[in-house]
């Protein structure tokens, strides 16, 4: 079939495939499709930067123009991954600088990006257009200055939630006057003041600017000026939203907003003075995304704002909204798809607002399109969860965080197993689940039985025994990422489901009961998994093997398991490459046996097996036993080679 | 191909070897140590869900025992220890004899140490294991004392406590920081402190103290001199204090001439000392040293109020 279509035609057909999964599938059809596909792949997504090496990527895809990559595991957001663990972007950028001079897009998440990296990016790629750094760290505003100065065709600079060392706000002035191509600028994570005049001029000379997210230091009085320069904005993130209450400031702001006919998303709103909120009322009817998660606005003012946003699809808000506010939300925003409610005082022992499980129940009742929820609260009941599950079987993401660890159902004092069980049973399309509260092994049995489309699961302070983990690993067919902290899961479930781990992107377990011995065993048995023991107490072999490790991070990889940038608190299995070679040879021989033995069986069944071949059969049996014995003595590679050679050529 | 290999019972070893690619090594390894008869009892298998039977078998015994132990606060250590000890020992031996491939530091001494220590350590193993889960099971710890819980990014923690925007991060190539245990004090720690009768205020760094006593002592040190000067000026030099100056004591318990109060993020004036220190640090906006006599006058007036700071 491959020769019936010329390559160009196939290439053209493949160009309609945008999803990476589809392209991966296509490349598995046959060798020629693999070749064609790899030459025309322009975008790549690497979910774990250590799953593959830059050399492998470059070798396979010579024509990349956009690279998206993720580094640290998700729990790094909550300080569970010690500093210095890894995920450095520099080696990738350096390798790609040689290979892809026409690279246009780099999107990194949870990686360490240094100023040198940024400078290299700015100087290596002549046509560089898009830089998105999500939750990255390690760079300063000097790095940003080099990007601004050298990337002549920069379209997107998005630093969402990255940790930037703010040396000065002058980097913005480094955008040359000739730079008019900016489409998106997100600097909301920066602390210090930027030169406002430079910012204003930049905005004024960027007619294509669609997204502008300012940082807190941009005062409200100046916001109107900026907005006036860019009425074509689709997404706006304000700076601090507070000022002395003055009618001229207000009217100027309201006028500026009313000119923005295409505004769809609003965010920012630090330090809100509620009296200024009505300035945005004119755009509310078009707003689909509202991020008020930094805004301390009382419930009544929130309700006034939200009830104007009939087309709201996404709302991020603090728990000041309270149950009453959520009820109002449920009544007015029927298109709501995603809701995130963050805690305003997560570390207080007592609730400071009246936000309970009832708020979530109301929203699940009133918003038929709700599919994604992140909800922080202080009490939950099985009854509420069951009601939510019945109301909204179309959940795709359900993340519930009850602030007190292991909090039981506050009405019945039972574990929340049945509640979460109802969620996974009713929501058949559930792809992501985060659980909290008091949970026994039963909830994991429900998950293993019902959550067949679950891709990511986050567990904390839950479960009673290894059966919990076993249910999840053996039952969840689509599981890709599993992250666990402070659960009594140990070696048994992990080792019994070792093969499952190769079908997943990664497994994170911290403060569980996984012993060092089990980690070693897992690493030895599964050569394509990297089992990283992350332990800050010193070398794990200075303690008994049955001692639990602090953290273990297991991920599949085709790169070397001894990554060069490992800090001194990370341990992986040492590899002897000649040992690996011996293993490969043995694997090949086993496959040969398989083929031969099956051939013999086939012959036997047909009754045509002569005696001579029966002898061969026994000989083969002997051979196989000896091979397996030989494999065991890892330390003695000479023995292995001797056995192989002797047996084979005897 | 698979069909044929499963049907034939005549050569179990070979067929078992070729049935599942990943399984062969584990099974035969144990075979060598313990003989084929014990194969079936082994729970240490790398098979995909087909290996579930081993769990079901021991599940019955374990669940019976577990029900007796079940309480609202799960005791993870006990349940994990429940698996029959022969398995434990098998695993230990298994590890020692076959996998002498130490990680990072290779030394025969370590191997022999491990062999000796393994048996002894087995009983201690789970007590040595982290006790974080155990602790949280036993007592209701305040969320603030658990690392990374509630799972909120540091960005949000800063905002929620109403502070200025994110602190600058450490230099990129700095030494690895230890993960701190308490993370709810992200705000700038310098707060203003004023004292009654003294026109000029001071600033204190709350991060450098970790108890109220230390704070009280620091306040005393800050204002002692100023107070003495002020008194001198007021009394017109009639009372000559000399070089000795009075200590400002009793700030926290109301016994002294002065009392320490603070203004929190909601604007309310509160007495210092009621809440745990870390909570205090995260909510305090400014401090004030009031005359204790004034305090009782205030308490008769409007309760929690936005009392003007300029008396």
């Amino acid at each position: 079939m491959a020769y019936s279509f010329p390559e160009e035609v196939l290439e053209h057909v493949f160009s309609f495939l945008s999803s990476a999964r589809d392209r991966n599938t296509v490349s598995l059809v046959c060798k020629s499709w693999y070749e064609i596909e790899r030459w025309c792949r322009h975008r790549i997504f690497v979910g774990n930067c250590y799953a593959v090496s830059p050399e492998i990527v470059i070798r396979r895809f010579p024509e990349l123009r956009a690279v998206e990559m993720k580094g640290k595991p998700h729990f790094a957001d909550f300080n569970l991954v010690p500093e210095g663990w890894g995920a450095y972007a520099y080696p990738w950028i350096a390798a790609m600088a040689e290979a892809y001079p026409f690279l246009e897009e780099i999107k990194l998440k949870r990686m360490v990006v240094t100023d040198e990296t940024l400078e290299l990016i700015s100087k290596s790629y002549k046509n560089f257009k898009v830089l998105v750094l999500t939750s990255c760290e390690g760079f300063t505003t000097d790095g940003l200055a080099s990007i601004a100065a050298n990337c002549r065709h920069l379209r997107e600079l998005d630093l969402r939630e990255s940790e930037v060392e703010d040396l000065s706000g002058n980097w913005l002035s480094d955008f040359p006057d000739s730079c008019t191509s900016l489409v998106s600028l997100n600097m909301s994570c920066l602390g210090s003041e930027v030169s406002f005049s430079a910012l204003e001029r930049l905005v004024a000379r960027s007619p294509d600017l669609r997204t502008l997210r300012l940082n807190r230091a941009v005062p409200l009085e100046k916001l109107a000026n900026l907005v006036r320069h860019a009425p074509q904005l689709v997404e706006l993130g304000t700076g601090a939203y507070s000022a002395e209450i003055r009618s001229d400031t207000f009217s100027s702001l309201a006028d500026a907003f009313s000119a923005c006919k295409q505004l769809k998303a609003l965010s920012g709103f630090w330090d809100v003075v509620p009296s200024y909120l009505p300035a945005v009322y004119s755009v509310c009817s078009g707003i689909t995304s509202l991020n008020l998660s930094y805004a301390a606005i009382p419930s009544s003012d929130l309700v006034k704002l939200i009830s104007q946003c009939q087309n709201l699809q996404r709302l991020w808000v603090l728990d000041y909204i309270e149950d009453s506010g959520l009820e109002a939300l449920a009544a007015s925003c029927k298109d709501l798809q995603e809701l995130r409610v963050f805690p305003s005082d997560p570390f207080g022992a007592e609730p400071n607002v009246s936000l309970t499980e009832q708020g979530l129940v109301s929203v699940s009742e009133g918003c038929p399109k709700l599919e994604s929820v992140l909800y922080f609260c202080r009490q939950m009941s099985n009854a509420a969860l069951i009601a939510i599950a019945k109301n909204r079987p179309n959940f795709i993401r359900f993340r519930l965080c009850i602030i007190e660890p292991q909090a039981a159902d506050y009405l019945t004092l039972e574990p929340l197993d049945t509640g979460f069980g109802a969620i996974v049973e009713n929501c058949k399309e559930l792809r992501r689940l985060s659980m909290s509260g008091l949970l026994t092994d039963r909830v994991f049995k429900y998950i293993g039985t019902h959550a067949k489309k679950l891709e990511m699961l986050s567990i904390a302070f839950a479960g009673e025994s290894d059966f919990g983990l076993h249910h999840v690993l053996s039952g969840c067919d689509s599981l890709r990422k599993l992250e666990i902290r402070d659960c009594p899961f140990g070696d048994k479930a992990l080792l019994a489901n070792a093969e499952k781990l190769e079908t997943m992107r990664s497994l994170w377990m911290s403060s569980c009961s996984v012993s060092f011995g089990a980690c070693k065993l897992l690493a030895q048995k599964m050569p394509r998994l990297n089992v990283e023991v992350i332990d800050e107490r010193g070398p794990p072999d200075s303690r008994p093997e049955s001692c639990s490790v602090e953290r273990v991070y297991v991920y599949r990889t085709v790169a070397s398991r001894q990554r060069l940038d490992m800090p001194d608190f990370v341990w992986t299995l040492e590899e002897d490459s000649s040992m690996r070679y011996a293993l490969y040879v043995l694997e090949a021989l086993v496959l040969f046996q398989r083929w031969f033995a099956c051939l013999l069986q086939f012959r036997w069944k047909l009754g045509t097996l002569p005696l001579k071949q029966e002898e061969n059969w026994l000989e083969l049996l002997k051979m196989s036993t000896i091979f397996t014995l030989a494999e065991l003595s890892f330390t003695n590679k000479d023995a292995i080679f001797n056995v192989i050679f002797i047996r084979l050529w005897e | 191909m698979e069909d044929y290999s499963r049907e034939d019972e005549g050569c179990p070893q070979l067929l078992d070897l070729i049935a599942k690619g990943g399984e062969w090594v584990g099974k035969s390894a144990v075979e060598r140590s313990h003989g084929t008869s014990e194969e079936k009892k082994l729970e240490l298998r790398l098979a995909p869900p087909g290996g579930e039977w081993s769990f079901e078998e021991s599940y019955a015994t374990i669940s019976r025992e577990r029900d007796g132990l079940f309480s609202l606060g799960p005791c993870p250590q006990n349940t994990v220890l429940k698996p029959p000890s022969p398995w434990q020992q098998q695993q230990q031996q298994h590890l020692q004899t076959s996998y002498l491939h130490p990680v990072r530091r290779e030394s025969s001494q370590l191997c022999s140490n491990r062999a000796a220590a393994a048996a002894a350590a087995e009983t201690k193993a789970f007590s040595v294991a982290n006790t974080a889960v155990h602790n949280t099971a036993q007592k209701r710890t305040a969320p603030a004392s658990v690392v990374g819980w509630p799972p909120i990014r540091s960005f949000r923690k800063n905002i929620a406590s109403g502070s200025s925007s994110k602190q600058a991060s450490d230099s990129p190539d700095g030494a690895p920081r230890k993960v701190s245990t308490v993370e709810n004090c992200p705000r700038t720690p310098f707060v203003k402190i004023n004292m009654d009768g003294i026109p000029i205020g001071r600033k204190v760094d709350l991060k450098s103290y970790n108890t109220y006593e230390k704070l009280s002592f620091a306040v005393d040190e800050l204002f002692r001199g100023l107070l003495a000067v002020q008194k001198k000026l007021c009394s017109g030099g009639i009372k000559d204090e000399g070089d000795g100056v009075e200590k400002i004591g009793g700030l926290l318990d109301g016994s002294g001439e002065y009392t320490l109060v603070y203004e929190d993020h909601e604007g309310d004036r509160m007495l210092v000392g009621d809440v745990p220190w870390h909570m205090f640090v995260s909510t305090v906006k400014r401090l004030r040293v009031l005359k204790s006599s004034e305090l009782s006058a205030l308490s008769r007036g409007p309760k929690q109020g936005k009392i003007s700071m300029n008396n």
Side-chain angles (χ1 to χ4, degrees), chain A residues 307-328:
Chain A
S307 47
Q308 312 252 342
C309 304
Q310 312 286 345
N311 290 317
L312 198 61
Q313 291 172 11
R314 177 146 70 120
L315 177 65
W316 292 20
V317 74
L318 284 171
D319 59 6
Y320 291 123
I321 192 170
E322 298 192 329
D323 289 342
S324 52
L326 289 173
E327 242 180 84

Side-chain angles (χ1 to χ4, degrees), chain A residues 77-80 82-83 110 114 135 138 161-163 165-166 189-191 216 270 293-294 316 342-344 346-347 349 376 401-406 413 415 436 438 440-441 460-461 463-464 467 470 474 485-488 491-493 495-496 498-499 511-512 516-517 520-521 524-525 536 539 541 544-548 566 569-574 593-595 597-598 601-602 605 617 621 624 628-629 631-632 634-635, chain B residues 1-2 4-5 7-8 11 13-15 17-18 22-25 28-29 32 43-49 52 55 58-59 62 66 70 72 74 76 79-80 83 87 91-92 94-95 98-106 110 114 121-122 125-126 128-130 132-133 136-137 140-141 143-144 146-157 159-160 163-166 168-172 176-179 183-184 279:
Chain A
D77 286 349
F78 316 127
N79 291 64
L80 291 177
E83 183 104 349
R110 282 191 213 103
T114 57
S135 306
E161 296 182 1
S162 292
E163 275 188 39
E165 192 175 338
D166 228 322
C189 60
L190 295 178
R216 199 173 186 163
W270 282 282
S293 57
Y294 300 116
W316 292 20
F342 295 97
S344 52
F347 302 108
F376 283 82
C401 178
I402 305 166
I403 290 183
E404 175 78 29
Q406 300 183 315
L413 297 183
S436 53
L438 184 64
T440 70
D441 283 348
F461 305 104
E464 302 159 294
F467 288 105
H470 177 67
S474 54
R485 63 162 296 181
D486 293 278
C487 296
D491 306 340
K492 286 177 58 178
L495 293 171
E499 284 179 357
S511 307
C512 298
F516 179 55
K520 284 202 331 188
L521 189 52
Q524 281 162 336
K525 288 309 147 197
E536 290 173 291
D541 38 16
E545 284 217 343
S546 48
C547 189
S548 299
M566 273 197 297
F569 51 82
V570 174
W571 282 269
T572 61
L573 192 68
E574 237 167 43
Q593 286 171 43
R594 251 174 109 166
W595 170 80
C598 290
Q601 279 187 288
F602 182 63
K605 295 225 175 282
W617 174 266
L621 175 65
S624 62
T628 58
L629 290 177
E631 184 273 335
L632 295 173
F634 273 132
T635 47
Chain B
M1 228 166 142
E2 254 92 359
Y4 291 112
S5 56
E7 280 168 51
D8 198 320
C11 304
Q13 286 177 331
L14 177 59
L15 293 172
L17 286 168
I18 58 180
E23 188 184 52
W24 63 284
V25 177
S28 39
R32 186 177 83 113
E43 292 165 24
L44 178 62
R45 287 179 52 179
L46 300 176
E52 210 166 20
F55 268 80
S58 40
Y59 190 94
I62 290 181
R66 196 162 40 92
F70 181 73
L72 283 180
T79 43
V80 178
W87 179 83
Q91 190 203 13
Q92 298 283 352
H94 178 54
L95 288 170
S98 312
Y99 304 103
L100 303 176
H101 199 85
V103 170
R104 277 281 160 117
R105 317 263 165 85
E106 188 162 11
L110 275 174
R114 254 184 284 136
E122 193 196 313
F126 292 103
V128 173
N130 77 89
V133 188
T136 51
R140 286 269 183 263
T141 46
V146 180
V147 176
W149 190 266
I152 306 174
R153 296 193 191 178
S154 36
F155 264 92
R156 300 208 174 273
K157 284 186 225 161
I159 305 306
S163 71
S164 57
S165 59
K166 188 94 187 50
S169 59
D170 286 348
S171 71
R177 267 187 283 129
K178 281 286 180 207
V179 178
E183 299 166 317
N184 60 339
M279 203 181 293

Side-chain angles (χ1 to χ4, degrees), chain A residues 115 118 122 140-151 157 168 170-176:
Chain A
D115 285 346
L118 290 176
S122 70
T140 75
T141 42
D142 287 349
L144 296 177
S146 49
I147 294 278
N150 299 327
C151 299
L157 180 59
S168 91
N170 293 331
W171 63 275
L172 209 61
S173 324
D174 284 332
F175 276 107

Side-chain angles (χ1 to χ4, degrees), chain B residues 16-310:
Chain B
D16 288 334
L17 286 168
I18 58 180
K20 307 275 180 217
E23 188 184 52
W24 63 284
V25 177
K27 264 191 103 139
S28 39
V30 190
E31 226 179 293
R32 186 177 83 113
S33 319
H34 309 291
T36 48
S37 57
E38 292 192 354
E39 241 177 64
K40 294 225 166 75
K41 284 197 213 150
L42 286 172
E43 292 165 24
L44 178 62
R45 287 179 52 179
L46 300 176
E52 210 166 20
W53 64 267
S54 61
F55 268 80
E56 295 309 319
E57 199 174 55
S58 40
Y59 190 94
T61 40
I62 290 181
S63 59
R64 261 180 270 126
E65 288 155 325
R66 196 162 40 92
D67 284 339
L69 294 170
F70 181 73
S71 60
L72 283 180
C75 302
Q77 270 66 25
N78 294 337
T79 43
V80 178
L81 274 172
K82 275 298 172 252
S85 45
W87 179 83
Q88 288 275 326
Q89 276 157 12
Q90 276 173 10
Q91 190 203 13
Q92 298 283 352
Q93 283 177 36
H94 178 54
L95 288 170
Q96 285 160 35
T97 49
S98 312
Y99 304 103
L100 303 176
H101 199 85
V103 170
R104 277 281 160 117
R105 317 263 165 85
E106 188 162 11
S107 80
S108 50
Q109 193 189 19
L110 275 174
C111 295
S112 55
N113 280 351
R114 254 184 284 136
E122 193 196 313
T123 46
K124 293 192 287 179
F126 292 103
S127 52
V128 173
N130 77 89
T131 51
V133 188
H134 194 67
N135 280 342
T136 51
Q138 301 304 345
K139 55 184 178 196
R140 286 269 183 263
T141 46
S145 57
V146 180
V147 176
W149 190 266
I152 306 174
R153 296 193 191 178
S154 36
F155 264 92
R156 300 208 174 273
K157 284 186 225 161
N158 287 340
I159 305 306
S161 56
S163 71
S164 57
S165 59
K166 188 94 187 50
Q167 305 287 335
S169 59
D170 286 348
S171 71
D173 52 355
R177 267 187 283 129
K178 281 286 180 207
V179 178
S180 60
T181 41
V182 180
E183 299 166 317
N184 60 339
C185 309
R187 312 176 51 226
T188 47
F190 280 94
V191 291
K192 289 187 198 168
I193 177 163
N194 286 83
M195 186 159 183
D196 269 1
I198 298 178
I200 307 291
R202 313 263 336 236
K203 271 202 153 177
V204 327
D205 178 1
L206 289 178
K207 271 221 173 105
S208 50
Y209 314 114
N210 53 14
T211 61
Y212 288 117
E213 282 68 38
K214 287 197 187 150
L215 176 64
S216 164
F217 186 71
V219 169
D220 167 41
E221 288 205 301
L222 283 174
F223 285 109
R224 199 195 295 180
L226 286 172
L227 194 62
V229 169
Q230 199 71 3
K231 278 191 180 157
K232 233 179 177 175
L233 289 172
C234 289
S235 52
I238 296 169
K239 242 195 294 184
D240 192 3
E241 300 280 353
D243 289 317
V245 286
E246 281 173 23
K247 185 174 177 310
I248 308 172
L251 284 166
L252 297 172
D253 51 14
S255 60
E257 201 186 331
Y258 291 93
T259 307
L260 200 53
V261 300
Y262 73 101
E263 204 176 275
D264 67 3
H265 61 264
E266 288 172 349
D268 298 327
R269 201 177 265 190
M270 319 282 286
L271 201 65
V272 165
D274 289 329
V275 295
W277 175 259
H278 61 265
M279 203 181 293
F280 167 70
V281 173
S282 65
T283 54
V284 65
K285 283 244 147 147
R286 28 185 337 173
L287 286 160
R288 200 161 167 82
V289 186
L290 294 179
K291 276 210 162 71
S292 300
S293 47
E294 263 185 41
L295 201 61
S296 46
L298 282 171
S299 65
R300 263 181 261 126
K303 279 267 168 53
Q304 336 279 348
K306 314 280 190 268
I307 304 171
S308 150
M309 289 299 274
N310 304 316

Side-chain angles (χ1 to χ4, degrees), chain A residues 20-257:
Chain A
R21 277 192 193 172
D22 288 343
R23 280 190 163 255
N24 290 343
T25 313
V26 147
S27 63
L28 292 174
V29 166
C30 63
K31 278 188 74 172
S32 63
W33 279 38
Y34 176 91
E35 282 298 307
I36 297 168
E37 195 280 322
R38 79 180 184 93
W39 278 95
C40 68
R41 172 110 56 139
H42 298 305
R43 312 193 136 257
I44 187 176
F45 169 73
V46 179
N48 174 3
C49 63
Y50 290 123
V52 69
S53 72
E55 292 71 38
I56 295 176
V57 171
I58 291 169
R59 194 169 58 223
R60 180 171 172 188
F61 299 116
E63 301 278 319
L64 287 185
R65 296 213 208 104
V67 173
E68 186 178 343
M69 199 174 318
K70 296 190 181 179
K72 300 188 196 175
H74 173 237
F75 272 0
D77 286 349
F78 316 127
N79 291 64
L80 291 177
V81 178
E83 183 104 349
W85 172 80
Y88 301 105
Y90 190 82
W92 282 89
I93 304 296
M96 294 195 299
E98 301 269 332
Y100 305 127
F102 298 110
L103 193 68
E104 292 176 2
E105 280 186 32
I106 294 178
K107 297 185 182 175
L108 304 175
K109 184 166 184 178
R110 282 191 213 103
M111 295 192 74
V112 176
V113 180
T114 57
D115 285 346
E116 289 73 37
T117 317
L118 290 176
E119 209 180 311
L120 190 58
I121 291 176
S122 70
K123 299 210 168 118
S124 313
Y125 309 115
K126 297 302 158 206
N127 211 21
F128 194 67
K129 296 200 171 105
V130 172
L131 182 64
V132 177
L133 300 175
T134 310
S135 306
C136 292
E137 54 173 2
F139 58 104
T140 75
T141 42
D142 287 349
L144 296 177
S146 49
I147 294 278
N150 299 327
C151 299
R152 306 269 140 180
H153 309 283
L154 193 66
R155 289 213 314 245
E156 281 185 44
L157 180 59
D158 190 335
L159 306 169
R160 46 184 101 157
E161 296 182 1
S162 292
E163 275 188 39
V164 186
E165 192 175 338
D166 228 322
L167 299 175
S168 91
N170 293 331
W171 63 275
L172 209 61
S173 324
D174 284 332
F175 276 107
D177 289 337
S178 54
C179 175
T180 57
S181 49
L182 213 55
V183 171
S184 166
L185 177 63
N186 178 356
M187 39 180 240
S188 52
C189 60
L190 295 178
S192 67
E193 239 177 79
V194 292
S195 149
F196 186 76
S197 54
L199 177 61
E200 202 174 354
R201 283 197 311 273
L202 181 62
V203 172
R205 66 173 184 272
S206 305
D208 296 324
L209 195 66
R210 294 281 175 274
T211 301
L212 179 63
R213 297 201 200 273
L214 305 166
N215 64 341
R216 199 173 186 163
V218 175
L220 187 59
E221 296 91 341
K222 305 236 173 107
L223 184 62
N225 295 351
L226 281 176
V227 174
R228 226 172 277 124
H229 284 298
Q232 75 282 6
L233 277 178
V234 175
E235 298 181 343
L236 173 69
T238 73
Y241 207 75
S242 65
E244 271 180 38
I245 302 182
R246 292 171 48 165
S247 54
D248 52 349
T249 319
F250 181 91
S251 48
S252 154
L253 197 58
D255 287 339
F257 274 118

